Amino acid sequence: MILDTLGVGLLGTRTDVFNTVLQCSRRQHAVESSRVWGRPGESLPSHHAAFVHGVAVHSMDFDDTWHPATHPSGAVLPALLALAETLPDKPSGLQLLLAFNVGIEVQGRLLRFSKEAYNIPKSAAASAKLLSLSAVQTVAALAIASSSAGAPLANAATQTKPLHMGNAARAGLEASQLALFGLEGNTHILDLESGFGAFYPDYDPRPLAEVSSGSQYRWLLEEQNIAQKRFPAHLAMHWVADAAAEARAKLLNKCPDADLSQIKKITLRVPSSRYVDCPLPVSEHQARHSYQFNCCSALLDGQVSVQSFSRRQMNRSSLHQLLFKVELETPADNRSSFEEMYCEIVLETMEGEVFTARCDTFYGHWRNPLTHEDLLKKFKENASSVLSTEALEGLVDAVEHLETLQDCSKLCSYMHFNKHMMPRAERRYTASA
């Protein structure tokens, strides 16, 4: 999870939305600062570093996904790494891992009480653990962070959606720091309808099992694994892409020289959704949330990739012709749940031939996880857009030996590199020369 998040975060530092929030955040100054990923010689106040890195991780919707639907790592890891750089006694890799797991655990527990709780105080719990806050201070941190919860679905499939992740990272880190300085909040905020429940109407908290010091704690990650994406789009698109690629293979297997423009009709059977039905996307963010776009991209190319969302690929006339042939059906048995959904595709050709395919579990889902080799390949493809081979290999080694790492801020030292840029101090010297 950590390696994957760092890889998509590095790739995200090349996006427009990251550069926009970075430019805005450069106006902030502080005594304590954290280095910016992919920007040699540049630092920001820790909470702003957490913000821009959270945005980077989620900027392309390439980060991991859990069930119930949420992105577990994107707010937690940026907050922890930004905080670690500012602490006088640098946390070890093992301390970072424990804090990371605490953040994920709190998120998972709260998600059991609501199907809508997308933006929750997970980074506050993680930061509180890394700061070694007392139980009273940790409760205060969660209460403070809860006042910043909420992420409107209306901003899904827009450039603003990645800011939800950045805001969660920043707010959680700030909340733990405020609690450290003595700020308090309602200690029952997670139990009240007027508290955390004010953001989510279906929030129904229930007592958690008691944990004694002598008992062995079972983490939710041991019971519910995460999904890791092969291409940067909403998770539901991965069912669509795999089904479309299979239908394409069946078509070409029977007719190797088939002209895909001769497809007469494409029927997609998918779950009903409030925000991923974008028949004719005009932006990359809409395309990442479009059943139709991802289906047609996979039909044309055999797969969906990072390049699929480039302006050149999106503007292909062959793609636009196929988009107009897609019809959506939402069968009653196809539930809008990452645990139960499926995608079925039916291709009808001008000659009257029919090709069907169905995906119940895509490759990368928690029931069919990526192999370590494929996960490492994904990381290297993403990170190599920013890091040199030496820095990339150093980062992989640091993550794989994180439990024995004495200083977890070593991760930040690798994330700071950019093979396309020289440090700002060197740029100033070159300009003066």
Side-chain angles (χ1 to χ4, degrees):
M1 291 173 71
I2 289 176
L3 191 66
D4 186 38
T5 303
L6 295 177
V8 298
L10 284 166
L11 183 64
T13 63
R14 298 172 62 85
T15 61
D16 291 341
V17 63
F18 172 81
N19 285 309
T20 299
V21 298
L22 176 60
Q23 186 176 1
C24 179
S25 296
R26 282 171 174 156
R27 302 169 59 140
Q28 311 299 320
H29 302 279
V31 175
E32 294 179 342
S33 61
S34 305
R35 287 172 287 186
V36 179
W37 296 353
R39 294 296 186 275
E42 189 162 353
S43 298
L44 290 172
S46 58
H47 54 286
H48 278 278
F51 170 65
V52 300
H53 297 154
V55 169
V57 169
H58 197 49
S59 62
M60 300 171 71
D61 220 320
F62 211 176
D63 44 328
D64 53 23
T65 304
W66 214 10
H67 177 75
T70 188
H71 299 280
S73 304
V76 175
L77 191 58
L80 289 176
L81 291 179
L83 175 60
E85 282 207 278
T86 66
L87 298 177
D89 296 322
K90 299 297 184 243
S92 67
L94 193 58
Q95 289 173 308
L96 177 74
L97 273 174
L98 180 57
F100 179 79
N101 273 279
V102 166
I104 303 299
E105 185 73 7
V106 168
Q107 173 182 215
R109 295 294 175 185
L110 289 177
L111 279 171
R112 268 55 184 175
F113 304 151
S114 168
K115 295 180 181 178
E116 301 289 339
Y118 302 107
N119 199 9
I120 54 184
K122 51 194 174 186
S123 57
S127 300
K129 182 63 179 176
L130 200 64
L131 283 170
S132 300
L133 298 190
S134 68
V136 172
Q137 290 172 317
T138 299
V139 170
L142 293 176
I144 297 165
S146 293
S147 284
S148 300
L153 278 179
N155 269 329
T158 74
Q159 205 174 35
T160 296
K161 183 173 182 270
L163 272 65
H164 296 169
M165 191 70 73
N167 287 335
R170 173 174 57 186
L173 176 52
E174 284 182 325
S176 65
Q177 292 172 325
L178 288 168
L180 178 65
F181 278 89
L183 192 69
E184 298 175 347
N186 191 317
T187 58
H188 299 289
I189 200 164
L190 296 179
D191 303 318
L192 301 174
E193 183 179 342
S194 60
F196 194 64
F199 296 99
Y200 308 105
D202 70 336
Y203 184 65
D204 182 25
R206 294 175 296 280
L208 297 174
E210 292 289 335
V211 180
S212 65
S213 57
S215 63
Q216 184 173 1
Y217 187 77
R218 185 168 177 81
W219 300 87
L220 280 179
L221 272 176
E222 298 179 79
E223 303 172 8
Q224 172 65 61
N225 202 352
I226 52 102
Q228 290 170 314
K229 301 176 179 180
R230 305 193 317 275
F231 59 89
H234 184 277
L235 196 69
M237 304 306 109
H238 290 67
W239 277 271
V240 174
D242 279 15
E246 182 183 344
R248 178 184 190 270
K250 289 181 177 179
L251 171 62
L252 295 180
N253 184 53
K254 185 172 183 180
C255 311
D257 299 321
D259 181 358
L260 294 180
S261 67
Q262 295 305 301
I263 293 175
K264 179 181 179 181
K265 181 182 177 182
I266 304 167
T267 303
L268 274 182
R269 299 188 179 117
V270 291
S272 175
S273 175
R274 288 175 288 173
Y275 66 101
V276 296
D277 181 14
C278 302
L280 300 170
V282 296
S283 71
E284 63 171 290
H285 298 282
Q286 288 182 351
R288 299 184 200 283
H289 294 76
S290 170
Y291 286 132
Q292 297 89 336
F293 176 87
N294 287 273
C295 168
C296 294
S297 292
L299 285 175
L300 285 174
D301 306 322
Q303 64 175 354
V304 182
S305 67
V306 172
Q307 290 72 34
S308 299
F309 303 93
S310 67
R311 183 55 55 189
R312 179 180 178 183
Q313 294 286 83
M314 287 184 62
N315 286 340
R316 289 180 290 176
S317 59
S318 56
L319 177 67
H320 288 195
Q321 290 171 13
L322 281 182
L323 285 172
F324 283 105
K325 299 176 182 180
V326 180
E327 293 184 12
L328 288 192
E329 294 181 1
T330 55
D333 69 333
N334 200 349
R335 299 187 59 192
S336 184
S337 163
F338 293 153
E339 190 66 68
E340 303 174 56
M341 71 169 284
Y342 65 85
C343 173
E344 196 168 67
I345 181 172
V346 181
L347 302 181
E348 299 178 36
T349 68
M350 298 291 189
E351 293 77 20
E353 293 189 282
V354 177
F355 300 89
T356 64
R358 172 170 167 147
C359 177
D360 291 296
T361 303
F362 68 87
Y363 180 46
H365 190 275
W366 45 83
R367 291 192 298 266
N368 185 22
L370 297 181
T371 64
H372 178 72
E373 291 75 16
D374 282 344
L375 187 59
L376 193 59
K377 178 182 177 183
K378 174 191 173 182
F379 167 78
K380 289 183 176 181
E381 288 176 350
N382 289 335
S384 63
S385 66
V386 176
L387 298 184
S388 65
T389 302
E390 184 180 1
L392 187 151
E393 295 296 343
L395 185 55
V396 170
D397 184 70
V399 172
E400 290 186 342
H401 297 89
L402 195 54
E403 291 185 24
T404 59
L405 203 63
Q406 294 301 309
D407 178 1
C408 71
S409 64
K410 184 177 181 180
L411 295 178
C412 305
S413 65
Y414 289 118
M415 295 293 290
H416 191 51
F417 288 128
N418 190 319
K419 64 184 180 183
H420 307 292
M421 299 180 183
M422 64 177 70
R424 298 184 82 183
E426 290 184 25
R427 291 205 301 270
R428 287 195 296 269
Y429 173 79
T430 302
S432 64

